[in-house]
Amino acid sequence: MEPVRRKALVDAALRVIGDHGSLAVTMSDIARQAGVSAALAHHYFGSKEQLLIETIRSLLRQLRDDTVAALKAARTPRERLSAVIRVSFHADQFAPETIAAWLAFYAEAQRSEETRRFLVIYARRLRSNLLADLKALLPADAAERIAEGAAAMIDGLYIRQSLKSAPIGIEASIALTEDYVNALLVSASPSFQRREDVRRTDEGARPRLQPPHPALRATFSPRGEGKTRPNHPKDK
């Protein structure tokens, strides 16, 4: 019974924080959402701060477990990259209340060293997961640059999603991130495009990368260095 009640309190904390958009919630608010007494909530976690830390841990565990499962199902480095990107926008993680909770935790990290430590763990895991397979496709310096950019793009899309006036869906977020990664992969290693052509031809697919998402267009300098920028009226 204890694990069930602890999970119910963690889930309730996530919902309440998401609804409030901050960590300025009480143990009573969380207990009421979970359908238990505040005294029982204190019994299981001791304090609101400990419950909030467990809520961050729960988010990170779920993200880690989903990532491990997705990576096991992928066959190639490029497929593993796509798996990491897709998991980052999993419906559970990209739900409005979860995004609001993530942002509240980032704000709290300015004051709480323990909260900051957990968010640093998240950032390092994301970068490591991206970098491991990028290094199988590119030189180390290019791989590191793309990993940093892709991680920043994922985080940025979470922030945009929180601006409810200009939301962007899960599939569109995945497509934007994939387009960014594809454009820089081809720019950094023209042979990557040729390998993709061969793979798609062998699989009976059309021998080219998917066209970029309308919100992102890849342009290349004469030296082959890739840049990405949004569509501009002068391009039309």
Side-chain angles (χ1 to χ4, degrees), residues 73-87:
R75 298 171 299 171
T76 66
R78 185 63 187 87
E79 288 180 2
R80 287 167 63 87
L81 280 174
S82 290
V84 173
I85 291 169
R86 182 164 288 278
V87 164

Side-chain angles (χ1 to χ4, degrees), residues 124-182:
R124 286 176 176 170
R125 281 181 184 171
L126 176 58
R127 182 180 183 278
S128 176
N129 286 332
L130 292 166
L131 190 57
D133 294 297
L134 282 166
K135 282 185 173 179
L137 300 169
L138 300 170
D141 58 340
E144 290 180 8
R145 186 174 67 252
I146 296 174
E148 291 288 355
M153 191 169 200
I154 289 168
D155 288 343
L157 287 167
Y158 267 74
I159 294 173
R160 177 180 289 188
Q161 184 69 2
S162 72
L163 303 175
K164 299 173 184 177
S165 60
I168 181 168
I170 290 174
E171 292 303 322
S173 297
I174 292 170
L176 280 167
T177 310
E178 287 280 4
D179 284 344
Y180 171 81
V181 170
N182 274 338

Side-chain angles (χ1 to χ4, degrees), residues 195-215:
R195 290 198 302 272
E196 281 292 293
D197 289 347
V198 170
R199 181 182 67 80
R200 289 174 179 271
T201 300
D202 289 343
E203 293 175 357
R206 195 171 180 181
R208 65 180 179 87
L209 293 175
Q210 292 298 316
H213 187 276

Side-chain angles (χ1 to χ4, degrees), residues 23 53 56 101-120:
L23 300 187
I53 290 300
I56 300 177
W102 274 115
L103 293 180
F105 287 131
Y106 270 98
E108 179 65 14
Q110 308 307 306
R111 299 181 292 274
S112 167
E113 180 60 28
E114 191 165 13
T115 301
R116 190 192 73 82
R117 182 171 64 84
F118 279 110
L119 294 176
V120 168

